[in-house]
Amino acid sequence: MVTFIDNHDRNRFLTEAGGDVDKLHNTLTFIYTARGIPVVFQGTEQNRGNANGQIISGIADTWNRWSMQTKDANGNVTKDYFDTSTDTYQLIADLNGLRSQYEALADGTQREMWNSMHTYAFSRRVDSGENEGQELICAFHNTEGTETTTMSIRAESSITPGTTLVNGFNPNDKITVSADNKITISLTGNTSKIYAVDEDADPLVPVTFTVNNATTNWGENVYITGNCNELGNWDSEKAVGPAECPDYPIWMLTAYLPAGSSIEFNKSEDKNSPSSEVAG
């Protein structure tokens, strides 16, 4: 089935979105990663809205059917509107590249992972054939502000704890699957992320922290933060946890850390007040 966000008989999406290019990019990313064959209406890559900038009732007709060139009476081109440097053209090129690189985005099974008021996430996985097990996780946020969500990896997934996932839009944005097979994704206003297994990542090994005599009040938990990405780089908002407490006040938590590396860490009895104790 073909998917699209506007066409020759309807208002341009950008006009419907009040000229918000972030919303346009978020929506284009959705149709390129969700099931279906994405179709982009001519001019969308040039950030074109309706010609008069107004919402049109009924069939939009000529107000949204942009010509890519202006010609004089003799048929000579006086203006060429096709610009490959626009941010939307570049995004579409990147999305086409990802669909070519990953069969999962074109033909993989789509399975929901998270659905809330403003955040939605799903996986696309190849279930059979040459690329069986290839999987990407796609997440979207459709309002202002930042939202951080922790979700479980699907039971059908081949992605295992300790696996590093990298954002196809930003090679510096990486997340690690936790010991309990969960991932945490942070999204800012009207943005998307597409995570794939990072084939170049250094191997990670499970490390179990045992915290003795950590007394807590009802509702409090124990977290670990440290000097590496996997432990949040001392940012208590990105701390690993909560720990499990099989025998109070003994707390245990397993994190996946780079093999052979030296780390520093501390514990916090709530995410907002890390202790000053440091161990190596």
Side-chain angles (χ1 to χ4, degrees), residues 22-151:
D22 287 340
K23 290 183 179 180
L24 174 64
H25 288 184
N26 205 18
T27 308
L28 284 169
T29 302
F30 181 84
I31 68 170
Y32 265 85
T33 55
R35 290 179 60 209
I37 302 172
V39 171
V40 179
F41 186 29
Q42 173 180 294
T44 294
E45 78 289 341
Q46 305 304 316
N47 291 331
R48 293 289 197 178
N50 289 349
N52 62 353
Q54 301 295 316
I55 294 290
I56 303 165
S57 59
I59 295 178
D61 199 30
T62 56
W63 285 111
N64 75 340
R65 299 179 185 179
W66 285 94
S67 172
M68 299 307 290
Q69 295 178 333
T70 298
K71 298 181 181 180
D72 62 20
N74 296 317
N76 299 310
V77 176
T78 59
K79 177 70 174 178
D80 187 345
Y81 299 101
F82 191 73
D83 182 1
T84 60
S85 68
T86 65
D87 51 1
T88 304
Y89 180 97
Q90 295 296 323
L91 172 68
I92 293 170
D94 290 342
L95 289 168
N96 275 314
L98 287 171
R99 281 179 67 90
S100 297
Q101 180 180 358
Y102 295 105
E103 179 190 346
L105 287 181
D107 299 314
T109 301
Q110 181 170 326
R111 297 180 173 98
E112 272 195 346
M113 294 181 63
W114 188 264
N115 184 11
S116 63
M117 181 66 73
H118 296 295
T119 298
Y120 180 56
F122 58 81
S123 74
R124 297 293 307 273
R125 183 180 187 274
V126 178
D127 290 339
S128 62
E130 180 181 355
N131 293 314
E132 182 178 353
Q134 184 189 90
E135 183 174 359
L136 286 87
I137 295 171
C138 310
F140 307 84
H141 186 52
N142 70 347
T143 190
E144 302 301 321
T146 300
E147 186 169 333
T148 299
T149 304
T150 298
M151 62 191 76

Side-chain angles (χ1 to χ4, degrees), residues 165-184:
L165 305 178
V166 59
N167 183 358
F169 293 133
N170 179 5
N172 295 316
D173 176 12
K174 299 183 180 183
I175 56 176
T176 303
V177 182
S178 67
D180 56 353
N181 222 27
K182 295 181 179 180
I183 54 173
T184 299

Side-chain angles (χ1 to χ4, degrees), residues 113 125 133-137 151-166 175-184 196-199 201-206 254-257:
M113 294 181 63
R125 183 180 187 274
Q134 184 189 90
E135 183 174 359
L136 286 87
I137 295 171
M151 62 191 76
S152 296
I153 297 295
R154 292 282 311 200
E156 301 89 347
S157 178
S158 301
I159 298 175
T160 57
T163 300
T164 298
L165 305 178
V166 59
I175 56 176
T176 303
V177 182
S178 67
D180 56 353
N181 222 27
K182 295 181 179 180
I183 54 173
T184 299
V197 173
D198 185 0
E199 303 294 349
D202 293 330
L204 300 178
V205 294
T254 299
Y256 283 82
L257 304 177

Side-chain angles (χ1 to χ4, degrees), residues 193-219:
K193 293 184 176 182
I194 304 173
Y195 284 106
V197 173
D198 185 0
E199 303 294 349
D200 299 323
D202 293 330
L204 300 178
V205 294
V207 176
T208 299
F209 297 84
T210 300
V211 182
N212 296 306
N213 300 316
T215 57
T216 57
N217 295 318
W218 180 258

